[in-house]
């Protein structure tokens, strides 16, 4: 009856062997505890490792950058604007031993972080005006001509610190405390910043009023310019017409003068002959069928009617 | 009687003979064969793997990274010693923000669930609110970094994208975001996102960041549209005024031109008539000068020849018979010719 013994010994051996080996993944760091107390340091080298079987236990922690998503918080800024701030952060277990001793699990770490990051975020937001939190630089906005003058003074104010620096400040201040439980905070960022409902309504109202003002201004500018152009039209039309009339009259006047001069010089040579000549022309032109003429026999024409000698 | 082997012959149990049924006799070789075959299959199953053309395979032995394998069929150490994680490094991946494509195809449909809407609303640099939709196209550049450096890369990347776009939008005015600054913002956001990717070491390369629909919030959209309409109205009013001007002024100028031309014509006419009359008179006068008395008489008589036939009533009186005049019946207009 050797086979049952062999089988039992085989099984026990297998258990011992399997419980003395453990793997560490690229993403893991491991702490070995013996009877609940940590033994040795943190095992970070990936691969197959050996431990004392059965009595030593393996506690695995992630080596990677881990998630943290803060709950959105309603926070007032320094200039009393209530905003929803939703931060996210990335952290890692830098000292697994201390982490294990302080919080045991990731969940514990998360909740500690929650308090710390939340607190620092509120502090930071309350210390700065909204414009500092939203903007990262002082770049000037490019506005079209139409929207000239639309911005409030607040909107174009210069910033001294800016979004990036504020998140950096939150990171730095929180990082002072986190090593206490073995955590290194590697990045903190604003995921979302939005107005609270009532503030948003007021902002929308402001946006609407601003736009309506611009619309009104555009319309009246258009009408003003159109009236200007129509006035100019009137002026230019009258100018053209009157200049034309003046030039025409000048020309006519000059022509009349020239003609008169020509006539005077021609007819002036012998005014009495001119008078005679012109009278002859006029008689021919002006007397017609409606004229009754009384002629005397003394006239040059009829004097020979009385006799052949004058 | 003799006790046979199990299954053969009757068995004696205290006198009575019980005949056990005959069992089918398995050849001892086939069980072993089945077991061996199963073992071989299991071995193959855990050691053979295939990497698709757009992937690479990351091999870990007992958790430690050992190698990266190219596309094709491969073998690894079986029974869980080596594990493979396939990472699509050639495939272009896409993330949507502010909307979700429900059905892709020729005309994709966008749905906008609540989460997507929350992604798209953000503050602009002039402390206004805009609604921004965008997509990010990216690929996994470094599979090791992708797998081993940051946990839950998709969520991390999504948050980074939101943070990057909001930061850039927070530095532009709402009008720049909606109209003139779209290209600039997309470029800056892409650069910022890549900077964050490199900072986090997640092994992702951002290929494209493209803004989709960008609008003012629904509540204020009518006011924004009103501005556009007002601008159009303004332009239209000005254009109409100019059209009016361009119709009236050239016409007035034309009419003025016409006046001047007419006057020039008149001037020409006047001058020519004057010259003509003058020339005629001068010619006549030159002849007259040669024989004044005769010319006068001739002219007079010629005029009479022409004139008398066209007259109406003619009465010839002797000079001495002047007394008749009062008794004459005068009808119509009378023109008196006196000598």
């Amino acid at each position: 009856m050797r086979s049952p013994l062999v089988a039992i010994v085989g099984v026990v051996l297998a258990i011992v062997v399997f419980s003395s080996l453990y793997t560490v993944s690229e993403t893991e760091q491991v702490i070995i505890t013996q009877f609940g107390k940590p033994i040795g340091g943190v095992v970070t080298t990936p691969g197959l490792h050996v431990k004392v079987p059965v009595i030593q236990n393996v506690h695995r922690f992630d080596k990677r950058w881990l998630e943290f998503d803060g709950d959105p918080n309603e926070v007032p800024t320094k200039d009393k604007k209530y905003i929803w701030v939703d931060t996210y952060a990335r952290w890692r277990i830098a000292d697994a031993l201390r982490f294990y001793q302080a919080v045991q699990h990731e969940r514990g770490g998360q909740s500690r972080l929650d308090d710390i990051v939340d607190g620092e975020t509120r502090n930071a937001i309350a210390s700065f005006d909204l414009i500092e939190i939203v903007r990262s630089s002082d770049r000037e906005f490019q506005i079209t001509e139409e929207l000239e003058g639309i911005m409030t003074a607040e909107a174009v104010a210069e910033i001294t610190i800016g979004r990036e620096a504020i998140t950096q400040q939150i990171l730095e201040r929180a990082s002072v405390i986190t090593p206490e439980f073995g955590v290194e905070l590697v990045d903190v960022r604003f995921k979302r910043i939005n107005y609270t409902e009532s503030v948003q309504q007021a902002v929308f109202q402001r946006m609407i009023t601003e736009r309506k003002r611009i619309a009104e201004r555009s319309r009246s500018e258009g009408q003003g310019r159109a009236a200007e152009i129509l006035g100019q039209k009137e002026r230019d039309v009258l100018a053209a017409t009157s200049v034309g009339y003046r030039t025409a009259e000048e020309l006519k006047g000059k022509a009349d003068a020239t003609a008169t001069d020509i006539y005077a010089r021609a007819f002036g040579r012998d005014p009495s002959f001119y008078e005679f000549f012109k009278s002859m022309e006029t008689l021919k032109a002006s007397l017609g069928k409606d004229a009754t003429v009384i002629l005397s026999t003394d006239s040059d024409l009829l004097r020979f009617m009385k006799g052949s000698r004058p | 009687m003799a006790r046979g082997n199990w299954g053969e012959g009757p068995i004696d149990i205290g006198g009575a003979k019980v005949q056990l049924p005959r069992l089918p006799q398995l050849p001892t070789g086939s069980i072993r064969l089945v077991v061996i075959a199963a073992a071989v299959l299991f071995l193959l199953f855990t050691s053979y793997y295939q990497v698709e053309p757009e992937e690479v395979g990351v091999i870990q032995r007992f958790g430690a990274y050992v190698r990266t394998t190219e596309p094709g069929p491969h073998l690894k150490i079986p029974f869980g010693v080596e594990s493979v994680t396939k990472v699509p490094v050639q495939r272009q991946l896409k993330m949507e923000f502010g909307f979700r494509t429900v059905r892709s195809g020729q005309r994709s449909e966008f749905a906008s669930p609540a989460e997507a809407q929350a992604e798209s609303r953000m503050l602009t640099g002039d402390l206004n609110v805009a609604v921004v939709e965008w997509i990010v196209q990216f690929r996994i550049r470094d599979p090791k970094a992708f797998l081993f450096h940051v946990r839950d890369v998709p969520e991390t990347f999504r948050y980074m994208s939101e943070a990057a776009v909001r930061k850039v939008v927070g530095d532009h005015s709402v009008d720049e975001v909606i109209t003139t600054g779209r290209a600039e913002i997309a470029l800056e956001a892409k650069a910022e996102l890549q900077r964050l990717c490199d900072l986090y070491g997640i092994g992702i390369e951002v290929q494209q960041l493209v803004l989709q629909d960008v609008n003012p919030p629904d509540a204020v959209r009518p006011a924004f549209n009103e501005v556009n309409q007002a601008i159009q109205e303004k332009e239209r009013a000005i254009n109409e005024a100019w059209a009016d001007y361009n119709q009236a002024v050239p016409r007035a100028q034309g009419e003025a031109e016409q006046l001047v031309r007419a006057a020039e014509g008149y001037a020409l006419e006047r001058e020519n008539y004057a010259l003509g009359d003058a020339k005629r008179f001068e010619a006549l006068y030159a002849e007259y000068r040669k024989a004044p008395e005769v010319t006068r008489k001739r002219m007079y008589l010629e005029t009479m020849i022409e004139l008398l036939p066209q007259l109406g009533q003619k009465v010839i009186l002797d000079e001495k018979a002047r007394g008749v005049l009062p008794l004459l019946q005068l009808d119509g207009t009378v023109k008196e010719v006196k000598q």
Side-chain angles (χ1 to χ4, degrees), chain B residues 266-285:
Chain B
Y266 169 88
L268 220 62
E269 186 191 50
R270 213 56 178 95
E271 221 176 283
N272 287 333
Y273 269 88
L275 282 171
D277 285 348
K279 280 278 176 286
R280 177 165 166 243
F281 180 78
E282 275 174 16
L284 186 62
Y285 183 67

Side-chain angles (χ1 to χ4, degrees), chain A residues 211 215, chain B residues 215-216 220-232:
Chain A
R211 298 285 140 170
Chain B
N215 284 307
V220 305
R221 218 199 270 220
F224 273 69
N225 287 338
E226 205 181 312
V227 170
N228 290 335
Q229 280 166 1
I231 293 174
Q232 281 177 6

Side-chain angles (χ1 to χ4, degrees), chain B residues 181-294:
Chain B
R182 283 178 56 125
E184 184 190 314
I185 288 170
L187 273 175
E188 269 183 48
K190 177 184 164 196
E192 171 71 8
L193 182 54
Q194 186 65 63
R195 183 182 78 88
L196 289 177
C197 287
D198 297 341
L199 179 71
Y200 283 28
I202 56 174
I204 283 183
E205 178 193 332
V206 180
Q207 291 171 313
Q208 274 277 54
L209 194 151
V210 183
L211 298 185
Q212 306 285 341
D213 255 355
V214 181
N215 284 307
D218 280 343
V220 305
R221 218 199 270 220
F224 273 69
N225 287 338
E226 205 181 312
V227 170
N228 290 335
Q229 280 166 1
I231 293 174
Q232 281 177 6
E233 265 176 56
K234 168 179 166 178
E235 277 171 19
R236 198 175 59 222
I238 292 177
N239 286 339
E240 279 175 8
W242 276 118
D244 203 345
Y245 179 95
N246 285 328
Q247 196 195 41
V249 169
R251 187 167 70 193
Q253 285 171 340
E255 285 170 359
E257 265 298 299
Q258 199 183 31
L259 270 180
V260 170
R261 296 274 160 267
E264 284 173 1
Y266 169 88
L268 220 62
E269 186 191 50
R270 213 56 178 95
E271 221 176 283
N272 287 333
Y273 269 88
L275 282 171
D277 285 348
K279 280 278 176 286
R280 177 165 166 243
F281 180 78
E282 275 174 16
L284 186 62
Y285 183 67
E287 291 308 310
Y288 165 78
R289 286 284 299 275
K290 296 181 188 164
E293 207 45 49
V294 170

Side-chain angles (χ1 to χ4, degrees), chain A residues 15-27:
Chain A
I15 290 173
V16 169
V17 166
F18 274 114
S19 110
S20 69
L21 294 174
Y22 66 96
T23 59
V24 174
S25 162
E26 287 283 339
T27 61

Side-chain angles (χ1 to χ4, degrees), chain B residues 303-319:
Chain B
T303 306
M304 290 301 124
I305 289 171
E306 212 182 303
L307 180 66
L308 288 178
Q310 72 194 38
L311 292 178
Q313 228 180 339
K314 293 165 275 256
V315 180
I316 301 171
L317 283 182
D318 195 290
E319 190 60 26

